[in-house]
Amino acid sequence: MPKSLLIISRQAPWAGPGAKEALDIVLACGAFDLPVALLFLDDGIFQLLANQNGAAIQQKNLTANLQALSMFGVDDVYACSYSLSERGISPAGLAVADVQSLPVEDVRALIDRYDQVITL
Amino acid sequence: MKFAIALYSAAHAPSSRRALRFAQAALAGGHEIVRLFFYQDGVHSASSNIVTPQDEQDIAQQWAAFVSQHQLDGVVCIAAALRRGVLNEDEAARYQRPGINLQAPWELSGLGQLHDAIQSADRLICFGGP
């Protein structure tokens, strides 16, 4: 039984390579068929916004990669509802369809369910 | 206990020093380190081109000495390293770059090595990051 892994992504998409490097860990996990989940927390929430224009700052959009998560076998994708409301973002308008809004009280239980946790 | 250790910070960051001290304490306590995996800015902790003032600790050098002495598996993420200009001889030649700043005992490899370490370790301990 392979160990399960939770990635907690906490960095805004344009704050440096952090967001992409967190996602790369998730995608590599999917390629190895390991049980994995992804939680967007704090400024990581900004990765989920629709209509981002990375080209305006000569950067690549991450949105298409996030939308492809299920194709890579990553189905458990969560967004902390407190982080969303703190930033005035409605869960309804997110660019990633299958992301589940998770009450902050449940974040602890989520972390508890996984064998290993990586926060980036 | 079997530990996998991930480091996300450069050698000048306190978390790099803390990771090194943790790793030393783990071995001193009779535990095993299945792999060190340097990711994000952690790739700079493996650079052989760091020069510290004489009255300061050279953490990158201490890391390399520690890994050599205990013959540990010290892996530096290749994608993160290339992005940050941490290159071994092969990669410097491949991309025609003038400088080499990654040498033995460090090895460049992919994220699969992190997942493999996670599977074989009892605990993954991460240092640094946001």
Side-chain angles (χ1 to χ4, degrees):
Chain A
M1 183 79 181
K3 291 198 179 77
S4 58
L5 178 65
L6 172 67
I7 314 288
I8 303 180
S9 187
R10 294 185 55 227
Q11 295 184 68
W14 316 118
K20 178 171 188 304
E21 288 178 329
L23 185 61
D24 284 345
I25 294 184
V26 176
L27 294 175
C29 221
F32 285 86
D33 213 15
L34 302 173
V36 64
L38 175 58
L39 168 67
F40 292 94
L41 189 73
D42 299 335
D43 279 354
I45 291 294
F46 288 121
Q47 297 173 44
L48 298 167
L49 289 182
N51 303 317
Q52 303 203 31
N53 181 13
I57 51 167
Q58 298 85 49
Q59 301 289 311
K60 283 203 289 192
N61 271 5
L62 281 181
T63 309
N65 302 42
L66 292 173
Q67 288 169 337
L69 280 169
S70 61
M71 272 168 49
F72 284 86
V74 183
D75 297 314
D76 298 320
V77 183
Y78 305 93
C80 170
S81 64
Y82 180 74
S83 302
L84 285 166
S85 64
E86 210 178 21
R87 288 162 183 77
I89 298 167
S90 153
L94 300 179
V96 183
D98 297 330
V99 64
Q100 302 170 53
S101 178
L102 192 71
V104 69
E105 310 83 65
D106 295 345
V107 169
R108 188 186 323 172
L110 180 74
I111 291 172
D112 218 33
R113 283 216 302 277
Y114 287 82
D115 296 317
Q116 308 281 17
V117 179
I118 290 178
T119 304
L120 285 173
Chain B
M1 184 172 283
K2 291 181 182 178
F3 288 108
I5 297 175
L7 173 62
Y8 310 129
S9 302
H12 56 256
S15 44
S16 184
R17 187 189 71 245
R18 284 199 290 269
L20 175 61
R21 300 295 175 246
F22 175 85
Q24 289 167 333
L27 291 192
H31 301 288
E32 185 188 337
I33 296 173
V34 297
R35 181 168 295 144
L36 300 159
F37 191 86
F38 286 10
Y39 193 52
Q40 297 202 319
D41 285 351
V43 301
H44 292 303
S45 285
S47 170
S48 53
N49 273 2
I50 290 171
V51 180
T52 52
Q54 277 185 4
D55 57 349
E56 290 180 22
Q57 300 253 328
D58 187 343
I59 296 299
Q61 192 278 327
Q62 289 183 27
W63 266 121
F66 172 72
V67 171
S68 295
Q69 183 193 343
H70 297 284
Q71 299 185 310
L72 298 176
D73 190 7
V75 176
V76 177
C77 174
I78 187 163
L82 291 177
R83 187 192 282 281
R84 291 167 177 82
V86 175
L87 307 179
N88 64 10
E89 197 175 355
D90 288 349
E91 299 309 312
R94 188 193 319 274
Y95 295 102
Q96 299 176 315
R97 292 298 188 268
I100 295 164
N101 55 352
L102 193 81
Q103 288 159 327
W106 302 108
E107 230 178 277
L108 285 174
S109 192
L111 277 169
Q113 297 292 316
L114 173 63
H115 291 304
D116 178 64
I118 287 170
Q119 292 304 315
S120 51
D122 300 311
R123 292 274 171 88
L124 166 71
I125 312 284
C126 303
F127 291 87

